Amino acid sequence: EILRCLVGSEMCIRDRLCHEEILLVLPVGHPLAQKAVTKKECRYPWLDLSLFADTPFILHFPDQNTGRSAQRLFDQYGIQPPVPYRTRNNQTCIQLASQNLGVTIASEGYVRYAAPFWPVEVFSVGNPTLQNDLVIAYRKNSYLSTYAQSFISLSKNIFKK
């Protein structure tokens, strides 16, 4: 039902909650972090992902958005780094990276929420960088319960900050 709504966008309303960058996440003090450069079009220091061709990555599975984003980046750079760990949990990827078990790819929002618990350094990657829209979608001209309306309103307020 949700997928059909998103694919057939004329059937649904899509409200963008936020626009976020897909980032490279490194443990604090990673030796390649010092190779980062400042780019005017990037919000974070930029790193050349080809430097990480032999670095172990902790990734999501390929059927997940972040897993697909990582693969797009690897294809863009022509690399296939080792992937000793795969998980379906964003926080697990970030936590394992913070513990120097590898590096990961994560969306800005997940990194922001994990930062107080697991110190990491984040970098823009890609040329151009990968961006992701977080949307809330619901059927056009259909009944929305009070709970659904409250959820939509609450979500919009949370991401407005």
Side-chain angles (χ1 to χ4, degrees), residues 136 148-158:
I136 194 158
Q149 291 174 37
S150 294
F151 177 77
I152 292 167
S153 177
L154 180 64
S155 298
K156 287 178 179 179
N157 286 334
I158 287 171

Side-chain angles (χ1 to χ4, degrees), residues 11 18 26 34 42 44 47 76 78 91 98-99 119-120 133:
M11 297 170 48
C18 70
L26 306 181
Q34 57 193 314
C42 294
Y44 299 91
L47 269 170
Q76 183 183 108
Q91 303 306 326
S98 77
Q99 295 172 357
V120 292
D133 283 336

Side-chain angles (χ1 to χ4, degrees), residues 3 27 33 35 40 42 46 53 56 66 68 73-74 85 91 104 109 121 123 131 133 135 137-138 143 146:
L3 184 57
K35 298 205 182 257
K40 189 167 75 170
C42 294
W46 184 87
T66 309
R68 283 189 295 275
L73 285 165
F74 297 158
Y85 304 105
Q91 303 306 326
T104 193
E121 294 182 82
F123 301 88
Q131 305 290 316
D133 283 336
V135 300
Y138 48 95
Y143 170 76
T146 304

Side-chain angles (χ1 to χ4, degrees), residues 6 17 58 62 78 91 119 127 145 152:
L6 290 174
L17 298 176
I58 301 149
Q91 303 306 326
N127 191 18
S145 69
I152 292 167

Side-chain angles (χ1 to χ4, degrees), residues 12-13 31 64-65 90-91 110 122 132 142-143 147 152 155 158:
C12 69
I13 295 171
Q64 293 177 270
N65 285 336
N90 293 294
Q91 303 306 326
Y110 284 113
V122 295
N132 188 42
S142 68
Y143 170 76
Y147 297 113
I152 292 167
S155 298
I158 287 171

